[in-house]
Amino acid sequence: MFRLALRAAASPARAALVRPAAVPAFRAYSAAALTKDDITARVLDVLKSFEKVDASKLSATSAFTSDLGLDSLDAVEVVMAIEEEFAIEIPDAEADAINTVDQAIEYVVKVCIASARDAEPPRAAADHGALSRPLRVSFVCFGSH
């Protein structure tokens, strides 16, 4: 980026063509830092954004239909919003089984922890000197707000 700015400054014609790159707006979370409490808060925030949900009735133990008064289409929209928030895909059979806030939270926890575990690199053998330390890789679970 610095070289590009220097080249642009050297040529006034090029200076007009150089524009800063747009940075996409999204939140990225490392799976190591994404706790169940973080996931719970984000799922509750997703539900609070639905106008049909009464925030005073919302808790981690609420059922979509009996406690929050959502119909089956609303429940599907909630699951789709959770998929979007965490950038995951929930298969239809498993999505149909998510009927409470707690079930949604537990599913996201399970998926994020499994993805983080799968993203861990193999540990190097102890006889490789400096490579004997485990490498650190972060899994990103993100969504937009």
Side-chain angles (χ1 to χ4, degrees):
M1 181 82 175
F2 184 70
R3 283 189 212 156
L4 184 62
L6 284 177
R7 274 193 231 138
S11 169
R14 284 190 206 170
L17 298 175
V18 176
R19 300 211 187 340
V23 178
F26 66 89
R27 295 181 301 171
Y29 297 90
S30 170
L34 194 61
T35 65
K36 185 174 180 177
D37 290 337
D38 295 332
I39 292 170
T40 300
R42 287 175 63 187
V43 168
L44 291 174
D45 286 342
V46 166
L47 283 160
K48 287 175 189 173
S49 71
F50 277 81
E51 60 187 47
K52 293 183 179 181
V53 173
D54 182 5
S56 66
K57 296 179 182 178
L58 183 61
S59 72
T61 59
S62 300
F64 294 153
T65 53
S66 60
D67 295 333
L68 301 178
L70 301 178
D71 61 22
S72 59
L73 183 58
D74 294 330
V76 169
E77 289 178 5
V78 166
V79 172
M80 289 172 56
I82 291 169
E83 286 177 321
E84 187 176 318
E85 173 70 20
F86 291 97
I88 60 175
E89 188 172 327
I90 303 173
D92 290 340
E94 294 181 23
D96 291 341
I98 297 175
N99 298 312
T100 66
V101 176
D102 191 50
Q103 288 173 340
I105 292 166
E106 290 302 321
Y107 184 86
V108 174
V109 167
K110 178 180 76 169
V111 168
C112 285
I113 289 174
S115 297
R117 189 177 334 119
D118 293 343
E120 285 184 18
R123 297 183 184 265
D127 61 342
H128 285 90
L131 293 177
S132 64
R133 292 186 309 265
L135 300 174
R136 296 199 66 181
V137 174
S138 295
F139 172 79
V140 177
C141 227
F142 63 90
S144 61
H145 260 275

